Amino acid sequence: MKRKLELQSILTAFMVAGVTLTSCKQTTNQNAEQPPLQEEPAEADPEAALALVNTGAKALADITAQPGLVPHDTDQKFTPKSVILDPDGTEHVRFTRTYKGLSVVGGDFVVHRTQQGTSTSLNKVGIRATKVNAAGSSTPAVADGKINVNVVPKISAQEAQQNARTHFAGKLSKVKDAQLLVFSHNKTPTLAWEVGVMGKNPKNAPSDLRVFIDAQTGRLLAKWEKVHTAAGTGRGVHTGTTKLEVQFTNGFYRLLDETRGRTQSGDMKGLEDAFDAVQKPLLPFAQRQNIFGNFKAENMVSIAADVQFGGIAAWDYFLKNHGRRGAKNDGKGMPSRFNYGVQYANAFYHPDCDCLTYGNGDGGIFKPLTSLDVAVHEFSHAVTRHTADLIYYGESGGLNEATSDIFAALAEFYFNLPSDPPDYLIGEKIVMPGILSNDSLRTMYKPSLDGASPDCYSDEVDFLDVHYSSGIANHFFYLLAEGSKPAGMPESPTCNGSTIKGIGREKAGKIWYRALTAYMNPSTDYSGAKFATLRAAHDLFGVNSLETRTVGAAWAAVKLPNLPPVLPKVVSVSAKKNVETKIPLNITDEDSPINCKESLVVSSSNTKLLPLKNIVLSGKAPECVMTVTPIKNISGAVNISIEVSDEKNKVSNQVPVTVK
């Protein structure tokens, strides 16, 4: 369980003032030096808690009653984590998984229950989990439903800690206790030790690595960063004149917004901290006048105004565009901390304090990191953490970064600030001119302009830094929203020479949010992201809608390959003359939606015994159903040929039927 930053309680509010920032004389931080009062804990949402309990129980019952829904063995246990309720009554229940009492990293899955009470599952969205490893092991991955792991480690916890510290580059400050678990992120399930290693990386930035050590051999399985960063910010206030809701208490105006879940911003005064420790209460920035800042970066009050606006802007964007009330969707705002460290050229979200942290820049390359897109980028990491929880490593890490870039760009267009005109550049306000390519950190319409990010998918993407592998999804999203040759916007060359007409930012944003919250899982890779966005478009606009077709075309335009459908072999079926027999067809496709009626073609080897009109397809993939009705007075055998096709691939199989 991640520890949250404890919020400083505030004296009874006499008024809430709407503040407009204007140019004024320089002011200083007059943060009141008074002891904090105990804050009353926020009440949990009883309706949400009850929905999770009730719907989770139903989904668990479905798993028990339908062994094929989520294949597993008796040593595995599932716990409902969250639930999404659609307007049509469909319920999406996200589960975590344990094996013999040990957490399974990468074992999350989602069960989808329709209004009629039927369930399907999308278990481990991603393709790599189902592959046999290079050593030829036949132990199935979690996606196949079985875990066969000896839970007695040969490597001790102390040995794992010693091993983990060797994989940390920089100044080491702490090695956390080792935790035993099952590691199954796109690998054969393996008993592992997870060790947290903390300190400063070679760039002197905070680092908190999650290191996974094979508990039997001691080899490194994987490592990734918990501190999600985006580089520096500037010498001037980036957001310009904005309106703020503040709290007036005891003669002070405080940057604490009661209307947005108590979103607040506090001054770190140049200090750094151990962000995994229990946080000291941080007072909201306070002063005696209700005008904050003077547009100048050297004025800390101007930086404070930027940071507070970033927090409330992220809140407003997700609430008004996606109905989400805060990063956790629990009605609570995110605390922000500015003036962190000395010449600290970074910003980050960290799950242990559940807070956003901003440095003032280094004065050379980066300005203070307080622009709107940086704030929403970091806030979006928190949204990802509390939904799909995309692992910050490999392709899933690239998707994590791209998700933050996507919502950051969408927020810029939503607010359309005069001081920060919207675009598809990331961090353009925080970079000193003439230093970085395109005067920004990343360029979504042509990611390769930074010299490191790819425009097109290849097998090498999985080995790139996550800030570069994000380029594939950023390019995809620009094509989906704007197209390849949008009027008044930069052109975006496609990788296959095609021309894409965008569906608009609003629709594209809803598709990505739906994919993130309803279908993506910690181990989702690029093929899984294609599948998730197609399913999201299907849900929102229909299977054969223009929007769904454009999703497929945009992924093709960044050269993401199509995977063939999977049609498991059906053993011989017995049927009676003139009696309906239902034959379940568990048809799946990792990256394309399958429509049972439109995607399947059937034929009969004996039309006298089983005419084509007596073969009826129904249901929704993966649970397609073929109903056959042999004619009267004839017995014998017939083979039904089934061909399944998606956008580019076809697979076929035969179902032998014996009629008695």
Side-chain angles (χ1 to χ4, degrees):
M1 187 73 179
K2 303 298 181 185
R3 291 187 288 273
K4 292 183 58 180
L5 178 65
E6 296 179 4
L7 304 184
Q8 168 62 37
S9 64
I10 306 300
L11 298 176
T12 305
F14 291 99
M15 63 178 288
V16 177
V19 180
T20 301
L21 296 184
T22 60
S23 179
C24 66
K25 66 179 181 180
Q26 181 169 328
T27 58
T28 59
N29 179 11
Q30 302 178 37
N31 221 346
E33 299 294 339
Q34 48 188 327
L37 300 178
Q38 180 63 42
E39 182 185 64
E40 294 183 4
E43 294 183 0
D45 184 350
E47 293 184 3
L50 183 61
L52 179 58
V53 170
N54 291 341
T55 307
K58 293 175 184 176
L60 280 171
D62 290 342
I63 292 172
T64 302
Q66 304 175 44
L69 183 61
V70 182
H72 62 283
D73 48 42
T74 57
D75 290 322
Q76 297 182 48
K77 305 297 180 185
F78 310 126
T79 302
K81 176 182 178 182
S82 63
V83 61
I84 294 175
L85 304 178
D86 288 349
D88 67 355
T90 301
E91 301 162 332
H92 308 269
V93 189
R94 187 178 295 275
F95 284 89
T96 58
R97 184 190 308 245
T98 62
Y99 174 77
K100 295 185 178 181
L102 300 177
S103 297
V104 179
V105 174
D108 292 15
F109 60 92
V110 182
V111 170
H112 310 270
R113 303 188 77 256
T114 66
Q115 190 176 25
Q116 292 73 30
T118 60
S119 287
T120 60
S121 71
L122 295 179
N123 190 19
K124 289 265 297 181
V125 177
I127 63 169
R128 289 182 173 79
T130 62
K131 292 184 177 179
V132 176
N133 65 27
S137 170
S138 60
T139 303
V142 173
D144 297 319
K146 298 178 182 178
I147 300 177
N148 184 15
V149 172
N150 181 356
V151 296
V152 179
K154 294 180 181 179
I155 303 298
S156 69
Q158 292 74 21
E159 289 174 316
Q161 288 177 300
Q162 291 292 335
N163 192 335
R165 69 167 58 227
T166 66
H167 298 288
F168 183 87
K171 185 178 179 181
L172 182 68
S173 63
K174 182 179 180 180
V175 178
K176 300 179 184 178
D177 292 338
Q179 304 293 325
L180 195 64
L181 47 76
V182 175
F183 186 82
S184 183
H185 173 53
N186 293 337
K187 293 179 181 290
T188 298
T190 304
L191 187 70
W193 291 104
E194 178 186 356
V195 182
V197 186
M198 299 177 58
K200 294 286 189 69
N201 67 23
K203 295 183 179 180
N204 203 37
S207 178
D208 188 355
L209 282 181
R210 294 181 72 182
V211 182
F212 297 88
I213 303 296
D214 190 316
Q216 307 297 2
T217 66
R219 68 186 177 92
L220 176 69
L221 293 174
K223 63 178 181 178
W224 58 77
E225 185 63 65
K226 288 176 69 177
V227 179
H228 300 167
T229 64
T233 193
R235 292 182 175 177
V237 175
H238 310 301
T239 54
T241 301
T242 57
K243 291 183 178 181
L244 302 174
E245 293 289 336
V246 301
Q247 186 189 65
F248 181 70
T249 307
N250 198 26
F252 285 87
Y253 293 90
R254 301 177 184 274
L255 291 180
L256 189 151
D257 192 331
E258 298 279 6
T259 68
R260 295 176 174 88
R262 296 176 63 83
T263 295
Q264 63 174 298
S265 300
D267 186 0
M268 289 294 291
K269 301 180 180 179
L271 300 177
E272 299 182 16
D273 61 2
F275 38 79
D276 72 314
V278 176
Q279 299 294 315
K280 295 180 180 179
L282 185 65
L283 288 167
F285 185 92
Q287 61 179 25
R288 291 195 178 276
Q289 56 183 314
N290 66 351
I291 298 176
F292 290 78
N294 63 0
F295 301 110
K296 296 181 179 180
E298 59 268 21
N299 179 2
M300 200 57 62
V301 187
S302 301
I303 292 177
D306 262 356
V307 169
Q308 181 67 2
F309 178 76
I312 67 175
W315 174 284
D316 283 357
Y317 168 76
F318 279 99
L319 176 63
K320 295 177 181 179
N321 290 276
H322 306 296
R324 189 174 191 86
R325 298 170 60 250
K328 290 185 177 180
N329 201 23
D330 60 357
K332 297 178 183 179
M334 179 85 61
S336 294
R337 313 181 309 165
F338 61 91
N339 193 17
Y340 181 88
V342 177
Q343 291 189 325
Y344 182 68
N346 235 320
F348 60 85
Y349 161 72
H350 196 283
D352 285 353
C353 68
D354 216 22
C355 61
L356 308 177
T357 303
Y358 302 84
N360 298 335
D362 56 11
I365 299 177
F366 297 110
K367 307 173 188 178
L369 188 65
T370 56
S371 62
L372 174 62
D373 58 354
V374 169
V376 178
H377 176 103
E378 299 303 335
F379 186 95
S380 299
H381 277 309
V383 174
T384 297
R385 165 67 176 160
H386 296 297
T387 54
D389 199 14
L390 289 160
I391 289 173
Y392 205 63
Y393 171 80
E395 290 190 17
S396 58
L399 289 166
N400 191 319
E401 274 296 316
T403 294
S404 288
D405 285 351
I406 287 167
F407 290 133
L410 290 173
E412 276 197 356
F413 281 96
Y414 180 75
F415 289 100
N416 194 22
L417 297 178
S419 61
D420 187 4
D423 49 41
Y424 282 92
L425 303 176
I426 303 300
E428 74 281 1
K429 297 288 289 184
I430 68 173
V431 177
M432 296 291 188
I435 296 178
L436 298 183
S437 175
N438 216 27
D439 286 336
S440 63
L441 299 178
R442 289 181 290 281
T443 305
M444 296 178 69
Y445 54 84
K446 190 171 177 54
S448 60
L449 288 177
D450 66 8
S453 300
D455 296 329
C456 312
Y457 182 84
S458 72
D459 292 338
E460 302 300 317
V461 168
D462 198 35
F463 303 101
L464 295 176
D465 179 275
V466 296
H467 294 88
Y468 301 141
S469 61
S470 61
I472 305 299
N474 282 344
H475 190 194
F476 156 79
F477 188 83
Y478 185 86
L479 292 171
L480 177 65
E482 306 293 348
S484 55
K485 296 181 179 180
M489 301 281 285
E491 288 192 10
S492 182
T494 59
C495 305
N496 61 355
S498 64
T499 299
I500 305 292
K501 184 176 181 180
I503 62 173
R505 289 182 293 273
E506 182 177 356
K507 290 180 178 179
K510 290 185 182 300
I511 288 172
W512 193 268
Y513 180 81
R514 171 75 173 177
L516 176 75
T517 57
Y519 294 110
M520 291 187 189
N521 276 322
S523 295
T524 295
D525 55 18
Y526 268 108
S527 290
K530 179 179 180 181
F531 180 84
T533 50
L534 283 167
R535 285 300 296 260
H538 176 184
D539 293 346
L540 295 170
F541 305 107
V543 178
N544 295 313
S545 63
L546 171 65
E547 292 80 3
T548 300
R549 294 197 303 272
T550 306
V551 168
W555 281 120
V558 296
K559 270 196 172 175
L560 192 68
N562 266 61
L563 297 174
V566 177
L567 177 59
K569 184 177 181 180
V570 179
V571 297
S572 180
V573 176
S574 295
K576 295 183 179 180
K577 291 178 286 188
N578 202 32
V579 176
E580 286 187 355
T581 299
K582 295 185 181 298
I583 304 172
L585 303 172
N586 186 24
I587 300 173
T588 57
D589 195 321
E590 289 285 355
D591 58 5
S592 299
I594 294 294
N595 183 295
C596 297
K597 291 184 179 180
E598 298 177 7
S599 302
L600 275 65
V601 177
V602 297
S603 61
S604 171
S605 66
N606 188 342
T607 54
K608 292 183 178 180
L609 177 61
L610 185 61
L612 281 178
K613 67 178 182 179
N614 289 16
I615 304 175
V616 179
L617 296 165
S618 61
K620 181 179 179 181
E623 294 184 337
C624 295
V625 176
M626 180 171 62
T627 303
V628 299
T629 308
I631 65 172
K632 297 186 293 184
N633 303 324
I634 300 180
S635 301
V638 58
N639 286 326
I640 304 174
S641 296
I642 304 174
E643 183 180 87
V644 186
S645 60
D646 59 13
E647 296 169 351
K648 290 188 177 180
N649 301 287
K650 292 182 180 181
V651 296
S652 60
N653 209 336
Q654 287 193 339
V655 179
V657 178
T658 302
V659 181
K660 300 179 180 179

